[in-house]
Amino acid sequence: MENFKSKVAVVTGGAQGIGRCIVEEFQKAGAYVCVIDKQDGDYFVGDISGKQVLEQFAKEVIGKYGHVDYLINNALPLMKGIDECTYEEFQYAMSVGVTAPFYLSKLFAPHFAEGAAIINISSSRDRMSQPQTESYTAAKGGIAALTHALAVSLAGHVRVNSISPGWIDTKHTIYDGPDAIQQPAGRVGNPMDIANMVLFLCSDKAGFITGENICIDGGMTHQMIYHADHGWKLDI
């Protein structure tokens, strides 16, 4: 495991699921981890859709540590589709999924240490969709595009990359049958698949990687499927 001793990592949405796994892996590697989440806990509790919440959180992080080494924008936007999603709900999804990552990057920009990295958690939905997922999909597409824009603007100062998870079961369920074999990797993903890549992208080993999006989905987005192919049937 890469040594992140005394490094300062900031993780949004770090209370559960992928975010919690990222937090735990950074802690195992010796990092100080600053978490913000809506869920009550022993960390900064707040809704990152709010400008003042983000400013207060950033102020506390810098006040305590003086700098930031890694920013992991992981918090999930809500998922609603065009039939039910209101204007306000869509705006909220954008605030959590795109505006907050941008603003935290801006707030921490003067305080990033040498060798700093930003990792944005997007989704394979940034390139493919199910019906009635517009708010989530738009937010994930936005953060994927924000990634390469930030990478160029922060060139020479901060490396910026994004990860697009596919099906990640946060309860580490072991699936068999079609759920597993439909994926070229032969299994459903788990949070460690994402956390491992986050820590790699933050490490010196990834020093020549910036502006990239890495899709971790077991190969699903590369599998071409036609009606009646390998037993697949389109239900119409």
Side-chain angles (χ1 to χ4, degrees):
M1 181 181 290
E2 184 79 14
N3 185 2
F4 291 100
K5 184 174 176 58
S6 300
K7 298 292 188 180
V8 178
V10 173
V11 181
T12 70
Q16 58 187 353
I18 292 172
R20 182 174 178 178
C21 186
I22 293 169
V23 169
E24 291 173 347
E25 291 306 300
F26 267 123
Q27 289 173 335
K28 290 176 187 176
Y32 301 115
V33 186
C34 305
V35 173
I36 182 170
D37 200 289
K38 290 194 303 181
Q39 183 174 306
D40 287 339
D42 186 21
Y43 40 74
F44 190 102
V45 177
D47 186 335
I48 66 169
S49 68
K51 179 174 180 282
Q52 292 182 338
V53 171
L54 295 172
E55 290 172 344
Q56 183 60 38
F57 175 59
K59 182 179 179 181
E60 288 197 14
V61 171
I62 298 306
K64 185 171 183 179
Y65 295 106
H67 74 279
V68 170
D69 293 286
Y70 316 115
L71 170 60
I72 317 301
N73 290 305
N74 166 76
L76 286 173
L78 61 82
M79 183 186 290
K80 280 198 170 184
I82 194 167
D83 288 353
E84 295 184 357
C85 188
T86 66
Y87 178 90
E88 290 77 16
E89 288 171 328
F90 193 86
Q91 288 290 93
Y92 180 79
M94 295 301 105
S95 294
V96 171
V98 182
T99 306
F102 164 77
Y103 198 46
L104 282 177
S105 300
K106 181 179 178 69
L107 291 170
F108 288 132
H111 307 286
F112 279 117
E114 183 178 354
I118 297 171
I119 310 299
N120 296 320
I121 305 301
S122 182
S123 168
S124 59
R125 292 173 188 269
D126 62 8
R127 67 205 67 191
M128 58 193 297
S129 294
Q130 292 175 301
Q132 302 302 320
T133 62
E134 279 76 11
S135 66
Y136 186 90
T137 299
K140 291 304 186 180
I143 200 172
L146 178 66
T147 296
H148 56 75
L150 286 173
V152 173
S153 294
L154 299 176
H157 183 40
V158 183
R159 291 184 300 104
V160 188
N161 292 289
S162 63
I163 297 171
S164 291
W167 182 2
I168 303 296
D169 188 284
T170 58
K171 296 180 180 178
H172 293 267
T173 306
I174 303 298
Y175 292 84
D176 55 19
D179 285 332
I181 63 175
Q182 70 175 326
Q183 306 188 62
R187 66 174 176 86
V188 172
N190 65 68
M192 281 299 299
D193 293 316
I194 308 306
N196 285 334
M197 181 57 71
V198 168
L199 269 66
F200 170 73
L201 289 173
C202 288
S203 74
D204 293 340
K205 294 176 182 177
F208 198 54
I209 303 174
T210 192
E212 286 300 313
N213 174 274
I214 299 173
C215 186
I216 302 178
D217 70 340
M220 278 296 290
T221 53
H222 294 295
Q223 181 161 262
M224 188 175 290
I225 300 173
Y226 292 96
H227 171 67
D229 188 20
H230 302 293
W232 292 89
K233 299 281 182 151
L234 178 63
D235 186 14
I236 56 175

